């Protein structure tokens, strides 16, 4: 009973954190509010959560990474592959080595392997935190794509490095050659396992749905099982469960482009996964806050080992030094990357040899740490294989929390200042043109379907109601074509009359959707545009079905 009450209390705290972060007069990242609420919860009597690192990692990380991989458009990963690889491989490797050495120099009492593990844990950035901090000031479309791809891939790379560092601590040995071979092995096995599981389960469930009928709830449950199945299979094969979860999400994004499944299924699945992502990341920060008082108390022994007895000022100085080191390493890497390949630079116009200072600053400060950093730090083992406590774990945990909090605060101050003036974004105009073109082609496909259905009904004899429905529907889609061909964005879709023939309306929606999926497969539009329009059509179809059901019940 106590466990159930604790879970309910965390959910209530999660809801409160959302309202409080919105009600505050200044923009405060929600994770900071959740950490503070978690610390207050720790003061409540009889509330105590003992976290098993492996269980925590399994419950939190696979669904978060799977959803991130599922949500990011595949063409964005392809277009920005060079920039993403630079940031997820080169920058992560430099961060692990540089910050690891820095922490060991600052705190010699902490073993070097543990310092590398800590550096790996704080390497991943949080693109969602960047979006929430930026608020209404829109980031350039290309920069948004790069930050999302960096966050996805460096999560996987950093957590693999974390795993290798923990192994080095537990075994007491480390070899660069062995580590490199292990990295390649776990990456290949993890990617293959995740992709295979996602494709098998997705295509298998679609095959069964076609033959036995589709049930939205069942499809949602299958999607929930995929990240855990991918993670566990990869771990059993001694691969990377983290990369398995990421690759499973990317594979699911690819299978979604086939257009199979009911509109109601897609709507329910999207809602469930948004809720899971919000809950998992929020619970992680609440638990961090709940653990914080105990961690701060446990750092007294580590203070003594470092010769800085009880010096909280010393601890804050280490956190500040680490954050400065992260920003400096990121700045150096971006400048070097631009110098080596200016034509692929993500901080200046294509081919320019001059770095835009404002874009460079945005790229540097758009790197707060978030839920994955927290999950990585909290998965450090409690003890070594010989039963001895994991060296420096409490101090490393406190440092990780400090880095998360300070990086969020820095981003909260710097990004709004840098984004006060609008940044010209050619990619946004191009995307709007693609959306208008897609809507026009979809409307034309719907008109063709109306004409086909009209000819079918004409053979059955005159029908006044059907003629009126056809005229209304044709007028609706002609107005869409006229508006979008002129480049004007309509405020909202015209509400169709309740008397429109249901079969006609469903057929036209299906024709529109088929046209959008065709454009997506032919790579004439991007996944963002396709997802936006398909979601509108799914919502329209679901709403129409619900109204039709109510009308039938009333009769």
């Amino acid at each position: 009973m106590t466990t159930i009450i604790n879970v309910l209390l965390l959910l209530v705290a999660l809801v409160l954190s959302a309202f409080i972060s919105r009600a505050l007069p200044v923009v405060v990242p929600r994770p900071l509010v959740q950490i503070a609420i978690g610390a207050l919860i720790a003061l409540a009597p009889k509330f105590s959560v003992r976290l098993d690192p492996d269980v925590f990692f399994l419950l939190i990380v696979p669904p978060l990474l799977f959803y991130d991989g599922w949500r990011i458009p595949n063409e964005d990963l392809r277009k920005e592959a060079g920039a993403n690889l630079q940031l997820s491989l080169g920058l992560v490797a430099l961060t692990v080595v540089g910050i690891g050495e820095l922490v060991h120099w600052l705190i010699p009492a902490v073993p070097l392997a543990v310092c590398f593990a800590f550096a790996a844990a704080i390497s991943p950035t949080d693109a969602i935190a960047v979006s929430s901090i930026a608020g209404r000031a829109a980031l350039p479309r290309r920069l948004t794509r790069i930050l999302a791809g960096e966050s996805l891939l460096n999560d996987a790379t950093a957590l693999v490095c974390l795993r290798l560092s923990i192994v080095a601590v537990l075994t007491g040995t480390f070899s660069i050659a062995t580590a490199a071979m292990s990295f390649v092995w776990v990456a290949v096995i993890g990617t293959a396992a995740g992709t295979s599981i996602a494709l098998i389960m997705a295509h298998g469930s679609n095959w069964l749905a076609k033959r036995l009928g589709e049930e939205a709830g069942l499809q949602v449950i299958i999607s929930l099982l995929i990240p855990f199945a991918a993670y566990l299979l990869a771990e059993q094969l001694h691969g990377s469960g983290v990369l398995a979860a990421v690759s499973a999400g990317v594979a699911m994004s690819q299978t979604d482009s086939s257009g199979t499944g009911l509109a109601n299924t897609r709507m329910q699945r999207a809602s469930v996964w948004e809720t899971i992502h919000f809950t998992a990341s929020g619970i992680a920060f609440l638990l961090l806050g709940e653990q914080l008082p105990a961690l701060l108390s446990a750092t007294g022994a580590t203070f003594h080992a470092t010769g800085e007895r009880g010096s909280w000022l010393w601890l804050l100085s280490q956190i500040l030094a680490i954050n400065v080191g992260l920003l400096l390493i990121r700045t150096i890497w971006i400048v070097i990357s631009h110098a080596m390949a200016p034509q692929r630079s993500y901080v200046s116009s294509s081919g320019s040899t001059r770095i835009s200072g404002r874009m460079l600053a945005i790229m540097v400060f758009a790197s707060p740490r978030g839920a994955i950093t927290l999950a990585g730090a909290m998965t450090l083992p409690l003890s070594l294989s010989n039963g001895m406590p994991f060296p420096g774990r409490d101090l490393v945990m406190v440092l990780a929390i400090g880095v998360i909090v300070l990086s969020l605060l820095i981003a909260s101050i710097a990004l709004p200042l840098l984004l006060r003036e609008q940044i010209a974004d050619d990619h946004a105009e191009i995307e709007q043109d693609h959306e208008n073109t897609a809507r026009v082609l979809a409307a034309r496909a719907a008109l063709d379907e109306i004409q086909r259905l009209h000819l079918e009904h004409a053979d059955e004899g005159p029908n006044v109601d059907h003629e009126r429905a056809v005229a209304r529907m044709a007028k609706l889609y002609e107005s869409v074509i006229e508006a979008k061909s002129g480049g004007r964005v309509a405020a909202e879709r015209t509400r169709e009359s309740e008397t429109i023939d249901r079969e006609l309306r469903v057929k036209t929606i299906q024709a529109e959707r088929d046209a959008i999926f065709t454009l997506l497969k032919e790579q004439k539009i991007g996944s963002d545009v396709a997802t936006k329009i398909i979601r509108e059509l799914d919502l329209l179809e679901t709403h129409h079905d619900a109204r039709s059901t109510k009308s039938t019940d009333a009769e």
Side-chain angles (χ1 to χ4, degrees):
M1 184 63 72
T2 303
T3 302
I4 296 176
I5 293 175
N6 288 346
V7 171
L8 293 175
L9 181 59
L10 287 174
L11 291 177
V12 171
L14 187 64
V15 174
L16 288 176
S17 70
F19 284 118
I20 292 173
S21 62
R22 288 175 176 269
L24 291 174
V26 295
V27 178
V28 177
R30 186 177 297 163
L32 296 183
V33 177
Q34 291 166 343
I35 292 173
I37 293 176
L40 293 176
I41 290 176
L43 303 178
K46 297 183 180 180
F47 186 92
S48 178
V49 179
R50 180 172 175 80
L51 294 177
D52 184 320
D54 293 333
V55 174
F56 176 82
F57 195 84
L58 175 61
L59 291 178
I60 297 295
V61 173
L64 288 180
L65 294 182
F66 175 78
Y67 183 65
D68 287 343
W70 193 356
R71 184 174 48 187
I72 188 169
N74 286 339
E75 68 272 8
D76 284 1
L77 290 177
R78 291 194 297 268
K79 288 178 182 177
E80 306 300 342
N84 289 333
L85 288 175
Q86 288 177 358
L87 294 170
S88 62
L89 293 178
L91 180 56
V92 168
L94 184 61
T95 300
V96 171
V97 175
I99 297 299
E101 293 286 354
L102 173 64
V103 173
H104 187 60
W105 177 72
L106 291 171
I107 316 174
V110 180
L112 183 59
V114 176
C115 295
F116 285 148
F118 165 75
I122 64 172
S123 294
T125 55
D126 191 336
I128 296 178
V130 173
S131 300
S132 63
I133 290 170
R136 296 182 180 180
L139 288 166
R141 179 70 182 89
R142 183 167 182 246
L143 185 58
T144 302
R145 288 203 309 257
I146 291 172
L147 291 173
E150 176 196 5
S151 177
L152 174 67
L153 297 179
N154 70 11
D155 286 350
T157 305
L159 291 177
V160 172
C161 292
L162 173 64
R163 171 180 172 176
L164 296 176
S165 299
I166 292 175
V167 170
V169 176
L170 297 177
T171 60
T173 60
F174 181 80
S175 167
I176 295 180
T178 303
M181 291 296 294
S182 298
F183 185 90
V184 173
W185 171 259
V186 299
V188 171
I189 296 299
T191 302
T195 303
S196 301
I197 284 290
L199 293 178
I200 291 172
M201 294 184 71
H203 288 301
S205 62
N206 290 336
W207 183 83
L208 291 173
K210 288 180 181 178
R211 284 153 181 80
L212 303 177
E214 183 171 321
E215 188 175 348
L218 181 61
Q219 295 294 320
V220 172
I221 292 175
I222 291 173
S223 72
L224 294 176
L225 292 174
I226 290 176
F228 299 104
Y231 179 89
L232 293 173
L233 175 62
E235 290 295 320
Q236 286 296 317
L237 298 175
H238 304 290
S240 171
V242 170
L243 282 170
V246 170
S247 58
V250 174
M252 280 295 292
S253 176
Q254 186 66 36
T255 59
D256 275 356
S257 64
S258 62
T260 57
L262 300 177
N264 188 42
T265 298
R266 285 191 293 270
M267 294 294 295
Q268 289 191 32
R269 193 171 58 186
S271 298
V272 168
W273 270 102
E274 287 174 4
T275 303
I276 287 175
H277 186 271
F278 172 80
T279 304
S281 57
I283 290 294
F285 284 109
L286 287 170
L287 289 176
L288 181 150
E290 192 275 334
Q291 302 284 307
L292 186 57
L295 289 171
L296 290 175
S297 298
T299 53
T302 311
F303 280 148
H304 185 76
T306 59
E308 300 285 344
R309 299 183 181 180
S311 176
W312 297 105
L313 182 61
W314 170 86
L315 180 63
L316 293 175
S317 67
Q318 310 308 301
I319 294 172
L320 178 61
I322 293 169
N323 273 278
V324 171
L326 287 171
L327 294 175
L328 285 176
I329 288 175
R330 189 174 179 86
T331 303
I332 293 170
W333 181 260
I334 292 174
V335 172
I336 292 175
S337 298
H338 171 80
M340 294 177 63
Q343 70 278 8
R344 295 200 307 269
S345 178
Y346 35 84
V347 289
S348 65
S349 58
S350 180
S352 174
T353 58
R354 183 177 180 181
I355 294 180
S356 167
R358 186 183 176 195
M359 288 298 292
L360 174 62
I362 292 173
M363 194 67 190
V364 170
F365 288 110
S367 57
R369 272 55 187 175
I372 299 300
T373 289
L374 170 62
M378 295 184 78
T379 53
L380 292 174
L382 298 174
S383 60
L384 301 175
S385 54
N386 59 7
M388 296 293 292
F390 192 88
R393 185 182 190 276
D394 293 331
L395 177 60
V396 165
M397 284 289 300
V398 173
L399 290 175
I401 295 171
V403 168
I404 292 172
V405 172
L406 186 55
S407 66
L408 287 169
L409 288 174
I410 292 173
S412 299
I413 296 172
L415 287 180
L417 292 175
L418 292 168
L419 295 171
R420 279 187 303 180
E421 297 180 6
Q422 185 68 31
I423 300 177
D425 190 0
D426 295 337
H427 292 273
E429 297 179 4
I430 294 173
E431 185 173 291
Q432 186 61 58
D433 290 340
H434 287 174
E435 180 179 337
N436 290 339
T437 301
R439 291 188 184 276
V440 169
L441 293 175
R444 287 175 179 167
L447 284 175
D448 291 341
E449 183 67 13
I450 291 173
Q451 184 63 26
R452 187 187 68 80
L453 293 171
H454 177 58
L455 293 176
E456 286 183 359
H457 280 270
D459 296 337
E460 301 173 0
N463 186 318
V464 176
D465 291 336
H466 188 268
E467 294 288 344
R468 290 176 179 173
V470 167
R472 283 193 297 270
M473 294 300 299
K475 184 177 181 180
L476 168 66
Y477 285 108
E478 286 169 357
S479 66
V480 172
I481 292 174
E482 180 182 358
K484 298 306 176 183
S485 296
R488 299 191 303 274
V489 181
E492 62 180 8
R493 297 183 66 92
T494 305
R495 295 181 178 271
E496 63 273 25
S497 172
E498 291 184 4
T499 59
I500 291 178
D501 181 80
R502 181 181 184 281
E503 179 184 358
L504 179 63
R505 188 65 183 120
V506 171
K507 290 291 185 181
T508 55
I509 291 174
Q510 291 173 348
E512 284 189 88
R513 193 159 45 221
D514 290 342
I516 296 300
F517 279 122
T518 299
L519 292 172
L520 179 60
K521 290 177 183 177
E522 295 174 353
Q523 298 185 4
K524 294 182 179 178
I525 60 174
S527 294
D528 283 346
V529 171
T531 300
K532 178 181 178 181
I533 299 176
I534 290 168
R535 189 160 189 174
E536 289 179 8
L537 294 172
D538 288 345
L539 181 60
L540 192 61
E541 181 179 338
T542 305
H543 176 65
H544 185 71
D545 286 344
R547 296 187 68 178
S548 298
T549 301
K550 288 182 180 179
S551 299
T552 303
D553 293 341
E555 294 175 359

